[in-house]
Amino acid sequence: MRTFNRLAFVSLAAMVALLSFPGTARACTGIRLLAADGSVVYARTMEFGIDLHSNAIIIPRQFTLTGTTNSGRPGLEWKSKYALVGLNGEGLTLIADGVNEAGLAGGIFLFPGYAQYQEVSADDEAKSIAPWEVVTWALSNFATVDEVREGLSGIKVGNVEFAAWKAVPPVHFVIHDASGKSLVIEYVGGKLNAYDNLIGVITNAPEFSWHLTNLRNYLNLSPKNVLTSTVDGERFSPLGQGSGMYGLPGDFTPPSRFVRAVALSQSAIPGATGEDAVHQAFHVLDSFDIPLGAVRSADVTETPREYTQWTSASDTKNRTFYFHSHDNRRVRRVDLLRADLNAAEVVSIPLFDQTDEQNLTPQSAGE
């Protein structure tokens, strides 16, 4: 029987528990773009303060996965109904962000100061999973947002602590499907909150409902330039392009990125196809890329230093996963439906994070 390597979660403590540390992974941004042919593209950035050593992985159908509990006893055990592809971390069988063969896509985002999961009794352990397993559980079991929403009532997501770090990862989640529906999943005060995400955007804290309220402060934003105005006979014209977006927040805080992500994704001109929307999504997310050193914790002089480690996009219509990394900006892709979805084991695809550049310097006549 193919089984999930539970021993890998000992190493996972080192990666995921860092999420709760100040200065790490506070700046991930997710968006959704729609193409003229009906394609739905979900894309995001992944920020972290240490190298996650991510690879693309394909989890095949009928692969056995097991939830993690605080007691060390097995949690929920299930076999993947759908194959899925995405990016992991530290070589683990874990999808931090990805898409499945039915066109369901989703990702994990930090949610510090707000995430508090459900109480899991001994009787509930057999139907429980840890926070970092939610996206893998969703993508391996379901085809639509509605199915995920219904399935959430049948599981428990516990406050699972990693012994090595004595921390519970504070995260929330976004799920998109090929119809364009989107769902934000948050656990606050031990209660599940599932929000319809009509605008398709997610960042980090505070709660998703707060971000929607905060958008009311930016109703003036528009992709259209401001017209010339006359004040007491004096004519005033904009100094240049972009005057309609004047006041758009440009910092890296979650509220500012949320507003910026809504403004840029909503004003983006739809591409003809999913592939066009993917390329547009990477351009939009360039606005959220954090150079190494631009964001640091005030009490940390060396590491962690938050930066954009990779950016990914999921074409939910064509079941294709795209990504580029901090050290290699070439966009690469995995066509899930062309892979062996019934493989015996998980397939790992290295990111190849070396610099990828082409020297176009013309040679002199003497060379």
Side-chain angles (χ1 to χ4, degrees):
M1 177 184 296
R2 295 175 295 157
T3 59
F4 184 72
N5 182 7
R6 289 180 51 78
L7 293 178
F9 278 104
V10 177
S11 300
L12 183 61
M15 180 186 77
V16 180
L18 277 174
L19 288 169
S20 62
F21 282 27
T24 59
R26 293 173 181 263
C28 302
T29 302
I31 62 172
R32 180 193 60 199
L33 296 183
L34 308 178
D37 69 352
S39 297
V40 177
V41 169
Y42 152 65
R44 59 91 53 85
T45 64
M46 170 60 83
E47 281 71 30
F48 214 80
I50 61 172
D51 189 351
L52 291 176
H53 301 107
S54 296
N55 288 316
I57 63 170
I58 299 175
I59 301 177
R61 299 167 180 156
Q62 295 302 302
F63 191 83
T64 301
L65 298 146
T66 306
T68 306
T69 68
N70 270 327
S71 70
R73 292 185 291 268
L76 177 70
E77 183 174 294
W78 74 97
K79 288 188 176 182
S80 53
K81 180 178 180 180
Y82 300 102
L84 54 156
V85 60
L87 286 166
N88 69 351
E90 303 298 339
L92 302 173
T93 306
L94 163 77
I95 296 294
D97 199 88
V99 63
N100 74 10
E101 62 178 290
L104 191 73
I108 302 171
F109 292 76
L110 189 70
F111 193 42
Y114 290 84
Q116 184 179 9
Y117 308 101
Q118 297 166 309
E119 293 297 325
V120 177
S121 67
D123 293 337
D124 289 332
E125 282 189 335
K127 63 176 182 179
S128 71
I129 61 177
W132 60 89
E133 297 164 339
V134 169
V135 169
T136 306
W137 166 82
L139 299 190
S140 61
N141 279 306
F142 305 111
T144 68
V145 161
D146 290 340
E147 290 177 4
V148 174
R149 185 191 291 273
E150 182 177 354
L152 286 168
S153 63
I155 65 167
K156 291 282 189 177
V157 177
N159 293 287
V160 181
E161 182 179 285
F162 294 92
W165 293 89
K166 301 186 183 302
V168 177
V171 292
H172 60 172
F173 321 93
V174 69
I175 303 293
H176 303 268
D177 66 26
S179 76
K181 284 189 176 181
S182 178
L183 183 72
V184 171
I185 301 166
E186 296 179 345
Y187 291 89
V188 178
K191 177 184 176 183
L192 166 65
N193 296 319
Y195 299 97
D196 290 322
N197 185 4
L198 300 181
I199 56 178
V201 166
I202 187 171
T203 56
N204 313 105
E207 297 162 279
F208 181 72
S209 57
W210 183 96
H211 286 290
L212 294 182
T213 300
N214 185 51
L215 283 178
R216 299 183 182 186
N217 291 315
Y218 299 91
L219 298 178
N220 60 295
L221 296 177
S222 169
K224 296 182 179 180
N225 288 329
V226 176
L227 299 175
T228 298
S229 297
T230 301
V231 179
D232 289 336
E234 185 75 26
R235 291 173 59 84
F236 295 91
S237 300
L239 293 173
Q241 298 295 320
S243 58
M245 288 288 187
Y246 186 79
L248 180 70
D251 60 79
F252 294 119
T253 63
S256 293
R257 285 183 289 103
F258 192 96
V259 173
R260 192 159 75 252
V262 172
L264 297 183
S265 63
Q266 292 295 314
S267 61
I269 298 175
T273 66
E275 186 173 1
D276 293 333
V278 166
H279 294 312
Q280 178 76 299
F282 279 114
H283 284 297
V284 170
L285 290 177
D286 280 344
S287 177
F288 303 88
D289 191 271
I290 300 179
L292 182 62
V295 174
R296 313 184 192 193
S297 294
D299 56 347
V300 177
T301 57
E302 295 298 330
T303 57
R305 296 172 297 178
E306 182 140 339
Y307 68 104
T308 303
Q309 297 200 9
W310 45 260
T311 303
S312 65
S314 295
D315 183 339
T316 63
K317 180 178 181 180
N318 296 304
R319 281 56 161 173
T320 305
F321 185 73
Y322 299 76
F323 56 91
H324 69 61
S325 63
H326 175 270
D327 294 321
N328 190 339
R329 300 281 290 183
R330 179 189 289 268
V331 175
R332 287 146 283 172
R333 75 182 191 188
V334 179
D335 298 305
L336 181 59
L337 298 185
R338 298 183 65 181
D340 181 2
L341 305 187
N342 297 305
E345 301 294 340
V346 172
V347 175
S348 180
I349 305 168
L351 255 64
F352 297 113
D353 276 336
Q354 69 270 22
T355 300
D356 184 6
E357 60 184 30
Q358 184 179 5
N359 189 342
L360 300 179
T361 307
Q363 292 184 334
S364 65
E367 294 181 325

